[in-house]
Amino acid sequence: MDLLIKNGTVVTASGSFEADVAVQDGKIAAVGKNLCIDAEKTVDARGKLVLPGALDVHTHLAMPFGGTVSADNYLAGTRAAACGGVTTVFDYPVQHTGETILGLVNSKKTILEKESCVDYAFHCCITDLNGGEILNEMETAVDEGITSFKCFLVYKKEKMMVDDGTLVKLLLRAKELGAKINVHAENPDLIDIRAEQFLAEGKTSAWYHYLSRPEFVEAEADKRAVHWATHLDAPIYIVHMADKEGLEECIKAKTEGHEIYVETCPQYLEFTCDVYKREDGRNFVCSPPMKGKESQEALWTALKAGLIDTVATDHCPFQSYEKDWGKDDFTKIPNGCAGIENLYPYMLDAANSGKLTFERVVQVCSTNPAKIFGCKDKGAIEVGKDADIVIYDKDKDFTISVNNMHSDYDHTIWEGKKLHGYPVQTYVRGNLVYDNGDFVGTPGIGKFVKRIPDKKA
Ligand code: URP
Ligand code: ZN
Ligand code: ZN
């Protein structure tokens, strides 16, 4: 055997048990008590948890946005991912007008093949159907293992938005192909009207970012997306859910048996809209914005109850000087925050403090995203799966600071957050990439994850 992780507590989506884990050729070869196996390398995980690596199914690396490009390129973003226990990232490349899906994906693959420190996949953001060509090309993309696509129902001025007609066409086509449509739900017209009015009144601080896109602005679009999906009997995945009213609509549709998936992010679980009143409020500007206490509580309740399917980061950091462009005009603040290295530690800290179970964290950060997005080799410590493994020390204290992160950004909204428990090692297909505070991987080790579609409708 290449690797034997001994004496740890293996956590799965459905339970935890003491076991050794043996790894051969990047795969989990055996899981069991007191394995008598010779291995090239043995790691003693006594007193520690042995978890499947997290899948961060929502990142924006090197993304042109808000008049600049997000601060983490593929190397920095995936290096940070590895150091936070994320072993697969799903990036969201955005189609330029006229661009094909495979043209877009292949241009990103070329970079990731050289730079990626963890495995990777893509949800393609479709902004234009190219006169219908994209609907045809979706079949080829699915055959190539790209089985999910994204629609922005917002960012109209940025020319990234799709209208309802396009959303409906994509939902129907994805349903035919066993693929999924992911949706960013906010109402752009309401946002524009409100933002223009605030600016005209001289209300320019980050607080007005929140007030220009409050709860009901997100809820309208959540409900519209769920409306189309349920009536067309098509699956839909709502990204970065942040508001109670929209969440309740999703839960209602789910309980009626519709295939509605809900993702939320750590920032909506940790912060409320009050952060926008702070002096550094612009650093927290992302869309949708953090909401009020009621929404935050609703997210936690749904998460604990198993009614939120995934937690992912929406990692899209910008440098301080870029955030400062919006000091006197909140509409000029590039939207997005850092989180890729904080996802798993944050969620596991919540489990460590008894807020939810470790099994639930494994579900929403690893097993569910792997299942929903067709990664058959990921998401569990099980024989035959990729040996994407995190060893977690429940007793290690850690305070998040920009200085102990492994990204390229110069500030983090998580600065000063104290965590009890922290990952000590991360393995990607059996390769050690993170060891006690240090990145020890090799850029280029990451592989494209060819995903399998659901059964065709
Ligand atoms: O503010 C955010 N979320 N920026 C990234 C793009 C998006 O909307 O997901
Ligand atoms: Zn979004
Ligand atoms: Zn996003």
Side-chain angles (χ1 to χ4, degrees), residues 420-435:
H420 184 52
Y422 209 74
V424 287
Q425 286 192 328
T426 306
Y427 295 85
V428 175
R429 284 174 284 98
N431 299 291
L432 184 65
V433 293
Y434 170 74
D435 193 16

PDB file of all heavy atoms in Angstrom, residues 420-435:
ATOM      1  N   HIS A 420     -12.270  26.449  16.899  1.00  0.00           N
ATOM      2  CA  HIS A 420     -11.781  25.368  17.769  1.00  0.00           C
ATOM      3  C   HIS A 420     -11.814  24.097  16.931  1.00  0.00           C
ATOM      4  O   HIS A 420     -12.887  23.625  16.539  1.00  0.00           O
ATOM      5  CB  HIS A 420     -12.664  25.250  19.012  1.00  0.00           C
ATOM      6  CG  HIS A 420     -12.149  24.234  19.981  1.00  0.00           C
ATOM      7  ND1 HIS A 420     -10.839  24.242  20.443  1.00  0.00           N
ATOM      8  CD2 HIS A 420     -12.738  23.167  20.558  1.00  0.00           C
ATOM      9  CE1 HIS A 420     -10.663  23.242  21.254  1.00  0.00           C
ATOM     10  NE2 HIS A 420     -11.791  22.557  21.343  1.00  0.00           N
ATOM     11  N   GLY A 421     -10.627  23.553  16.652  1.00  0.00           N
ATOM     12  CA  GLY A 421     -10.499  22.434  15.715  1.00  0.00           C
ATOM     13  C   GLY A 421     -10.022  22.957  14.382  1.00  0.00           C
ATOM     14  O   GLY A 421     -10.447  24.034  13.941  1.00  0.00           O
ATOM     15  N   TYR A 422      -9.100  22.192  13.759  1.00  0.00           N
ATOM     16  CA  TYR A 422      -8.589  22.642  12.448  1.00  0.00           C
ATOM     17  C   TYR A 422      -8.010  21.453  11.684  1.00  0.00           C
ATOM     18  O   TYR A 422      -7.462  20.523  12.288  1.00  0.00           O
ATOM     19  CB  TYR A 422      -7.503  23.719  12.635  1.00  0.00           C
ATOM     20  CG  TYR A 422      -7.452  24.662  11.461  1.00  0.00           C
ATOM     21  CD1 TYR A 422      -8.436  25.623  11.285  1.00  0.00           C
ATOM     22  CD2 TYR A 422      -6.446  24.559  10.499  1.00  0.00           C
ATOM     23  CE1 TYR A 422      -8.422  26.479  10.188  1.00  0.00           C
ATOM     24  CE2 TYR A 422      -6.420  25.415   9.399  1.00  0.00           C
ATOM     25  CZ  TYR A 422      -7.417  26.366   9.256  1.00  0.00           C
ATOM     26  OH  TYR A 422      -7.410  27.204   8.171  1.00  0.00           O
ATOM     27  N   PRO A 423      -8.088  21.458  10.348  1.00  0.00           N
ATOM     28  CA  PRO A 423      -7.444  20.393   9.562  1.00  0.00           C
ATOM     29  C   PRO A 423      -5.932  20.410   9.778  1.00  0.00           C
ATOM     30  O   PRO A 423      -5.327  21.490   9.865  1.00  0.00           O
ATOM     31  CB  PRO A 423      -7.772  20.771   8.103  1.00  0.00           C
ATOM     32  CG  PRO A 423      -8.966  21.658   8.181  1.00  0.00           C
ATOM     33  CD  PRO A 423      -8.831  22.397   9.489  1.00  0.00           C
ATOM     34  N   VAL A 424      -5.343  19.213   9.863  1.00  0.00           N
ATOM     35  CA  VAL A 424      -3.877  19.146   9.978  1.00  0.00           C
ATOM     36  C   VAL A 424      -3.229  18.585   8.715  1.00  0.00           C
ATOM     37  O   VAL A 424      -2.061  18.846   8.440  1.00  0.00           O
ATOM     38  CB  VAL A 424      -3.411  18.352  11.223  1.00  0.00           C
ATOM     39  CG1 VAL A 424      -3.652  19.164  12.479  1.00  0.00           C
ATOM     40  CG2 VAL A 424      -4.084  17.002  11.338  1.00  0.00           C
ATOM     41  N   GLN A 425      -3.992  17.794   7.974  1.00  0.00           N
ATOM     42  CA  GLN A 425      -3.452  17.283   6.702  1.00  0.00           C
ATOM     43  C   GLN A 425      -4.565  17.184   5.660  1.00  0.00           C
ATOM     44  O   GLN A 425      -5.714  16.878   6.001  1.00  0.00           O
ATOM     45  CB  GLN A 425      -2.845  15.883   6.883  1.00  0.00           C
ATOM     46  CG  GLN A 425      -1.508  15.881   7.598  1.00  0.00           C
ATOM     47  CD  GLN A 425      -0.796  14.543   7.511  1.00  0.00           C
ATOM     48  OE1 GLN A 425      -1.438  13.503   7.459  1.00  0.00           O
ATOM     49  NE2 GLN A 425       0.525  14.575   7.491  1.00  0.00           N
ATOM     50  N   THR A 426      -4.197  17.430   4.412  1.00  0.00           N
ATOM     51  CA  THR A 426      -5.133  17.203   3.294  1.00  0.00           C
ATOM     52  C   THR A 426      -4.417  16.345   2.250  1.00  0.00           C
ATOM     53  O   THR A 426      -3.248  16.619   1.901  1.00  0.00           O
ATOM     54  CB  THR A 426      -5.536  18.527   2.606  1.00  0.00           C
ATOM     55  OG1 THR A 426      -6.036  19.434   3.578  1.00  0.00           O
ATOM     56  CG2 THR A 426      -6.595  18.315   1.524  1.00  0.00           C
ATOM     57  N   TYR A 427      -5.102  15.338   1.765  1.00  0.00           N
ATOM     58  CA  TYR A 427      -4.591  14.483   0.685  1.00  0.00           C
ATOM     59  C   TYR A 427      -5.510  14.607  -0.525  1.00  0.00           C
ATOM     60  O   TYR A 427      -6.732  14.546  -0.385  1.00  0.00           O
ATOM     61  CB  TYR A 427      -4.569  13.006   1.107  1.00  0.00           C
ATOM     62  CG  TYR A 427      -3.607  12.704   2.227  1.00  0.00           C
ATOM     63  CD1 TYR A 427      -3.992  12.874   3.555  1.00  0.00           C
ATOM     64  CD2 TYR A 427      -2.316  12.252   1.959  1.00  0.00           C
ATOM     65  CE1 TYR A 427      -3.099  12.601   4.594  1.00  0.00           C
ATOM     66  CE2 TYR A 427      -1.422  11.972   2.988  1.00  0.00           C
ATOM     67  CZ  TYR A 427      -1.822  12.148   4.304  1.00  0.00           C
ATOM     68  OH  TYR A 427      -0.940  11.879   5.322  1.00  0.00           O
ATOM     69  N   VAL A 428      -4.910  14.789  -1.691  1.00  0.00           N
ATOM     70  CA  VAL A 428      -5.674  14.751  -2.947  1.00  0.00           C
ATOM     71  C   VAL A 428      -5.257  13.483  -3.681  1.00  0.00           C
ATOM     72  O   VAL A 428      -4.084  13.325  -4.035  1.00  0.00           O
ATOM     73  CB  VAL A 428      -5.381  15.986  -3.836  1.00  0.00           C
ATOM     74  CG1 VAL A 428      -6.076  15.865  -5.190  1.00  0.00           C
ATOM     75  CG2 VAL A 428      -5.823  17.266  -3.134  1.00  0.00           C
ATOM     76  N   ARG A 429      -6.193  12.574  -3.859  1.00  0.00           N
ATOM     77  CA  ARG A 429      -5.907  11.256  -4.458  1.00  0.00           C
ATOM     78  C   ARG A 429      -4.615  10.651  -3.857  1.00  0.00           C
ATOM     79  O   ARG A 429      -3.739  10.172  -4.564  1.00  0.00           O
ATOM     80  CB  ARG A 429      -5.836  11.357  -5.987  1.00  0.00           C
ATOM     81  CG  ARG A 429      -7.218  11.467  -6.636  1.00  0.00           C
ATOM     82  CD  ARG A 429      -7.179  11.700  -8.125  1.00  0.00           C
ATOM     83  NE  ARG A 429      -6.839  13.069  -8.442  1.00  0.00           N
ATOM     84  CZ  ARG A 429      -5.627  13.501  -8.775  1.00  0.00           C
ATOM     85  NH1 ARG A 429      -4.628  12.660  -8.915  1.00  0.00           N
ATOM     86  NH2 ARG A 429      -5.412  14.777  -9.026  1.00  0.00           N
ATOM     87  N   GLY A 430      -4.538  10.720  -2.545  1.00  0.00           N
ATOM     88  CA  GLY A 430      -3.418  10.085  -1.841  1.00  0.00           C
ATOM     89  C   GLY A 430      -2.164  10.932  -1.754  1.00  0.00           C
ATOM     90  O   GLY A 430      -1.217  10.558  -1.073  1.00  0.00           O
ATOM     91  N   ASN A 431      -2.144  12.072  -2.414  1.00  0.00           N
ATOM     92  CA  ASN A 431      -0.966  12.953  -2.365  1.00  0.00           C
ATOM     93  C   ASN A 431      -1.139  13.986  -1.255  1.00  0.00           C
ATOM     94  O   ASN A 431      -2.151  14.712  -1.229  1.00  0.00           O
ATOM     95  CB  ASN A 431      -0.814  13.728  -3.687  1.00  0.00           C
ATOM     96  CG  ASN A 431      -0.610  12.799  -4.855  1.00  0.00           C
ATOM     97  OD1 ASN A 431       0.430  12.165  -4.974  1.00  0.00           O
ATOM     98  ND2 ASN A 431      -1.618  12.694  -5.722  1.00  0.00           N
ATOM     99  N   LEU A 432      -0.169  14.077  -0.386  1.00  0.00           N
ATOM    100  CA  LEU A 432      -0.227  15.069   0.689  1.00  0.00           C
ATOM    101  C   LEU A 432      -0.039  16.468   0.089  1.00  0.00           C
ATOM    102  O   LEU A 432       0.978  16.733  -0.570  1.00  0.00           O
ATOM    103  CB  LEU A 432       0.886  14.781   1.711  1.00  0.00           C
ATOM    104  CG  LEU A 432       0.907  15.676   2.949  1.00  0.00           C
ATOM    105  CD1 LEU A 432      -0.342  15.488   3.808  1.00  0.00           C
ATOM    106  CD2 LEU A 432       2.161  15.388   3.795  1.00  0.00           C
ATOM    107  N   VAL A 433      -1.017  17.341   0.306  1.00  0.00           N
ATOM    108  CA  VAL A 433      -0.922  18.700  -0.254  1.00  0.00           C
ATOM    109  C   VAL A 433      -0.889  19.780   0.827  1.00  0.00           C
ATOM    110  O   VAL A 433      -0.512  20.921   0.570  1.00  0.00           O
ATOM    111  CB  VAL A 433      -2.071  18.991  -1.253  1.00  0.00           C
ATOM    112  CG1 VAL A 433      -1.936  18.136  -2.507  1.00  0.00           C
ATOM    113  CG2 VAL A 433      -3.446  18.793  -0.615  1.00  0.00           C
ATOM    114  N   TYR A 434      -1.307  19.401   2.041  1.00  0.00           N
ATOM    115  CA  TYR A 434      -1.296  20.358   3.149  1.00  0.00           C
ATOM    116  C   TYR A 434      -0.844  19.627   4.408  1.00  0.00           C
ATOM    117  O   TYR A 434      -1.340  18.534   4.698  1.00  0.00           O
ATOM    118  CB  TYR A 434      -2.696  20.944   3.367  1.00  0.00           C
ATOM    119  CG  TYR A 434      -2.829  21.748   4.632  1.00  0.00           C
ATOM    120  CD1 TYR A 434      -2.279  23.027   4.740  1.00  0.00           C
ATOM    121  CD2 TYR A 434      -3.498  21.240   5.745  1.00  0.00           C
ATOM    122  CE1 TYR A 434      -2.386  23.766   5.904  1.00  0.00           C
ATOM    123  CE2 TYR A 434      -3.617  21.972   6.917  1.00  0.00           C
ATOM    124  CZ  TYR A 434      -3.058  23.242   6.989  1.00  0.00           C
ATOM    125  OH  TYR A 434      -3.170  23.971   8.146  1.00  0.00           O
ATOM    126  N   ASP A 435       0.103  20.223   5.134  1.00  0.00           N
ATOM    127  CA  ASP A 435       0.634  19.573   6.322  1.00  0.00           C
ATOM    128  C   ASP A 435       0.863  20.624   7.404  1.00  0.00           C
ATOM    129  O   ASP A 435       1.764  21.451   7.279  1.00  0.00           O
ATOM    130  CB  ASP A 435       1.952  18.855   5.961  1.00  0.00           C
ATOM    131  CG  ASP A 435       2.397  17.899   7.053  1.00  0.00           C
ATOM    132  OD1 ASP A 435       1.570  17.562   7.925  1.00  0.00           O
ATOM    133  OD2 ASP A 435       3.569  17.493   7.028  1.00  0.00           O
TER     134      ASP A 435
END
